[in-house]
Every structure is written in C-alpha cells, then in structure tokens.
Amino acid sequence: PFLRAVLHDARNPLAGQIDVAAVHLRGGLSGLRDQARASARFFRRMGVRGPLWITETGYPSQPGHQWDRTLTGGERDQARWIARGPRELIDGGAERVFVTLRDGPEFGPQSAFASEGVVRWPQLTAAGRAIPKPAFAALRRLAATQRRHTLR
C-alpha cells in the first residue's frame, strides 16, 4: 500500500521519476525467477519504466538458516545457490543483480544475514584480507560467463 501510494501520489507522483526499480529478493531457487517477474510486473503496472535491479540477494552458509530444502549442506550449498540464483533473477527480468559480499554479524547469530556473504566477516587473513567462501569462487565463475548483464 505505501509504495503504491507514493508512486501515484496526487500532488507529487514518483512513478515517472524513477530511473531504476530496485528490490531485495531472496528465497529458494525454484521461486526466484517468479519473484523477479512479479517485481518487474508490479513496477511496470505502477508506471515505472526503468530496469529492474535486484540490489540485494544472497543465501546463508549456515545450514540452520538455509531455507531451500534442496540446499541445506552449509557452504557447499551456498555456493550452489550462488551459481544459479543470480541467473534465475536475470532470467526473470532483472537487469542487474547485486550479491551480498560479506557476512552480517551485526544482525546477530540467529539471523540468516549473519552467514549470507560470499566472504567471511569480520574474520580476516593475517594480511587483513577477507576470507572467501566457496560461494565467492562460484560467483566469480558465474560473472565470468555472464555476457548480457553485469553481476556485481
């Protein structure tokens, strides 16, 4: 209701002024494409003509937070999700997809965000660099094969 209201406010409608429609999407692999399609349709219906960007997506590496029943094996399955999830979002209509870079421990250990990054955080190597998870390599491989769109 709020988003519809501001996009079509009688005195100052925003729909025609938005260059990029941006959403955060997460979920099981089987539903990501439909989520992106639904988001793109919503913004088109609301009069937003810019591209759809998924400005935040990811999948936790902690098995207890992994919501896709087919991917509950920890870091290995986080990497599997990352290898396919962004592509599903693009196939659903997203022009750009931004994957969570680092874990988010500031949300607390009970949060799925605490292990969602493709690098461990705040743990660092002795040289002060982030420690990549298997999902980091999966994302790099995906980005290297991506031609139509840019994955970040």
Side-chain angles (χ1 to χ4, degrees):
F2 172 78
L3 192 51
R4 285 184 179 98
V6 297
L7 290 171
H8 294 287
D9 182 76
R11 296 181 73 192
N12 191 17
L14 289 177
Q17 299 183 37
I18 295 175
D19 296 329
V20 173
V23 295
H24 296 180
L25 296 178
R26 292 175 174 80
L29 285 174
S30 65
L32 287 175
R33 191 178 302 200
D34 288 341
Q35 284 186 52
R37 283 185 182 139
S39 297
R41 278 193 306 268
F42 170 80
F43 283 109
R44 279 194 304 274
R45 277 195 318 271
M46 294 295 108
V48 176
R49 298 293 170 233
L52 175 66
W53 286 15
I54 311 305
T55 54
E56 190 175 301
T57 195
Y59 191 71
S61 62
Q62 291 296 317
H65 295 139
Q66 292 178 316
W67 52 78
D68 187 324
R69 290 182 175 262
T70 66
L71 298 169
T72 59
E75 289 187 3
R76 179 189 73 234
D77 280 342
Q78 180 193 37
R80 287 185 178 130
W81 189 98
I82 292 293
R84 292 183 45 210
R87 180 76 242 172
E88 289 294 314
L89 293 167
I90 287 171
D91 288 347
E95 186 173 303
R96 299 274 193 268
V97 176
F98 298 80
V99 174
T100 304
L101 173 64
R102 67 170 183 85
D103 289 340
E106 62 271 18
F107 295 105
Q110 299 307 313
S111 171
F113 299 123
S115 70
E116 188 179 88
V118 296
V119 299
R120 289 185 187 88
W121 185 265
Q123 301 89 352
L124 300 173
T125 66
R129 298 184 61 106
I131 300 169
K133 297 180 192 177
F136 184 82
L139 182 60
R140 288 191 61 155
R141 284 189 301 274
L142 177 62
T145 62
Q146 184 57 274
R147 294 183 184 185
R148 267 188 13 199
H149 300 279
T150 302
L151 298 175
R152 300 189 200 264

